[in-house]
Amino acid sequence: MEGVSYARMPRVKIRELKDDYAKFELRDTDASIANALRRVMIAEVPTIAIDLVEIETNSSVLNDEFLAHRLGLIPLTSDRAMSMRFSRDCDACDGDGQCEFCSVEFHLRVKCMTDQTLDVTSKDLISSDHTVTPVDFNDSSLIESSDINTNRGIIIVKLRRGQELKLRAIARKGIGKDHAKWSPAATVTFMYEPEIHINEDLMESLTLEEKKEWVESSPTRVFDIDPVTQEVLVIDPEAYTYDDEVIKKAEAMGKPGLVEINAKQDSFIFTVESTGAVKASQLVLNAIEILKTKLDAVRLSEDTVEADDQFGELGAHLRGG
């Protein structure tokens, strides 16, 4: 349609932010952008993970392939991943993937010398780069604990007397689309922000017992009754799970239209949980940067006739025309 622009200016409002958790609102955009951002966070933000394992000695109960798989799934701090090269694109090592620009080397040498079972953990991995190390999941409240085993990291294998594990590992940059071990996100979800309107006239026609029955029909605590005025209030609209239970209950009580619930089509609530490889805030920022780069790659120039022939309305949409 001539003269119509599809350009929008999305807004973000942070609700809660921790190192491994973020909750924020994304407004003034549509579901396609929200879902694209979610998918990029899960599958296209790069991290560093162990990709090659050379085992010199392994007399543990786990075979070499099992150990290599476990090592690959250990999250590594990946703050420098965005600036690293992919091993396949590295010209310093001809794609070998074993140079300082595209890889980090780890060593592990452990032998059990006592009758007590020895836990081999991520803390035993020695990195050639102090900025790339196994993620520390220690609870700060346990740092003063007298039990040193609470601060030992992620268990790789357990050794008995005489058993030994000696290996060299190469960590490389990658993305979750290639393998889940490179995904920086434990969970990324978004939901439409619900808009809830109660018909006050119909609600007043209900007895207190009927109001309680209707409020309790919701599986989650979205509504409550004011103990003083006995009015039904919306206390937590975001707890609504779009299950339609309160709507069905109202219809069963002979009060259709008692409540109207709509999803705001341009407002989304995101929940992001990081594996610890990158902070949740950095994960979101990196995803936005990658999404912008991908959109720039497909943005078509104003006078490209061949592109219009190939993409049709999509070309006009991307140009904002």
Side-chain angles (χ1 to χ4, degrees):
M1 197 171 160
E2 202 169 330
V4 176
S5 174
Y6 292 91
R8 306 186 75 176
M9 297 298 292
R11 295 181 296 118
V12 174
K13 179 182 177 183
I14 305 295
R15 289 194 178 182
E16 188 177 349
L17 193 60
K18 300 176 185 175
D19 283 352
D20 60 350
Y21 178 84
K23 189 172 186 178
F24 63 92
E25 300 170 8
L26 178 65
R27 299 182 183 277
D28 298 336
T29 189
D30 55 40
S32 63
I33 295 297
N35 195 47
L37 181 62
R38 180 189 70 86
R39 288 173 66 101
V40 169
M41 279 193 271
I42 293 171
E44 300 202 43
V45 173
T47 63
I48 302 167
I50 291 173
D51 193 40
L52 173 68
V53 180
E54 297 175 350
I55 295 179
E56 183 180 334
T57 306
N58 175 23
S59 54
S60 73
V61 295
L62 299 184
N63 59 47
D64 294 356
E65 291 80 5
F66 206 123
L67 286 173
H69 184 257
R70 289 180 67 82
L71 287 165
L73 294 175
I74 293 173
L76 306 176
T77 53
S78 303
D79 295 331
R80 57 168 286 212
M82 290 287 282
S83 60
M84 280 180 68
R85 303 173 186 173
F86 286 102
S87 58
R88 60 179 177 270
D89 301 328
C90 184
D91 52 10
C93 60
D94 296 325
D96 186 44
Q98 297 191 40
C99 73
E100 60 180 312
F101 300 107
C102 66
S103 67
V104 178
E105 190 171 317
F106 287 85
H107 289 274
L108 189 149
R109 297 181 180 88
V110 183
K111 185 173 183 178
C112 181
M113 306 298 291
T114 67
D115 290 331
Q116 187 172 359
T117 300
L118 176 64
D119 293 341
V120 181
T121 73
S122 56
K123 292 286 184 72
D124 295 310
L125 285 167
I126 301 169
S127 174
S128 63
D129 184 342
H130 70 279
T131 64
V132 181
T133 57
V135 172
D136 187 355
F137 290 101
N138 287 341
D139 186 337
S140 58
S141 64
L142 298 176
I143 292 177
E144 302 298 326
S145 172
S146 58
D147 184 3
I148 60 171
N149 290 324
T150 58
N151 302 320
R152 286 293 292 158
I154 301 168
I155 292 180
I156 300 169
V157 67
K158 296 188 177 187
L159 302 180
R160 296 292 288 173
R161 177 187 278 274
Q163 292 181 335
E164 183 180 7
L165 181 60
K166 191 183 296 184
L167 59 85
R168 170 178 172 264
I170 301 295
R172 295 169 179 153
K173 175 181 177 177
I175 58 176
K177 185 187 287 187
D178 295 331
H179 194 287
K181 67 184 177 183
W182 278 301
S183 178
T187 304
V188 181
T189 63
F190 73 85
M191 64 173 285
Y192 289 98
E193 185 176 0
E195 205 168 14
I196 303 175
H197 299 287
I198 295 175
N199 187 319
E200 298 294 345
D201 293 334
L202 283 177
M203 188 61 73
E204 285 302 317
S205 67
L206 298 180
T207 65
L208 181 58
E209 286 302 315
E210 286 176 325
K211 288 179 181 179
K212 287 180 179 179
E213 190 179 339
W214 182 81
V215 166
E216 290 170 1
S217 69
S218 175
T220 52
R221 195 164 180 265
V222 180
F223 308 94
D224 203 358
I225 298 176
D226 189 301
V228 178
T229 64
Q230 295 185 353
E231 290 182 357
V232 176
L233 306 174
V234 180
I235 58 170
D236 188 5
E238 290 168 25
Y240 184 67
T241 57
Y242 295 96
D243 47 62
D244 289 344
E245 289 298 323
V246 290
I247 296 174
K248 293 174 185 174
K249 183 64 178 177
E251 291 173 351
M253 296 170 72
K255 303 289 182 180
L258 181 64
V259 64
E260 185 179 338
I261 303 175
N262 297 308
K264 294 182 181 178
Q265 297 299 312
D266 64 347
S267 184
F268 310 91
I269 300 163
F270 272 79
T271 301
V272 179
E273 294 182 26
S274 167
T275 61
V278 293
K279 291 183 178 180
S281 57
Q282 194 61 47
L283 171 56
V284 176
L285 293 174
N286 289 354
I288 292 171
E289 193 63 36
I290 291 167
L291 185 56
K292 284 167 62 180
T293 303
K294 290 171 75 71
L295 291 172
D296 286 340
V298 298
R299 183 174 287 117
L300 308 173
S301 62
E302 196 87 35
D303 53 355
T304 306
V305 178
E306 296 85 11
D308 274 353
D309 291 339
Q310 183 179 356
F311 294 101
E313 292 181 3
L314 174 61
H317 179 87
L318 291 171
R319 291 198 307 273

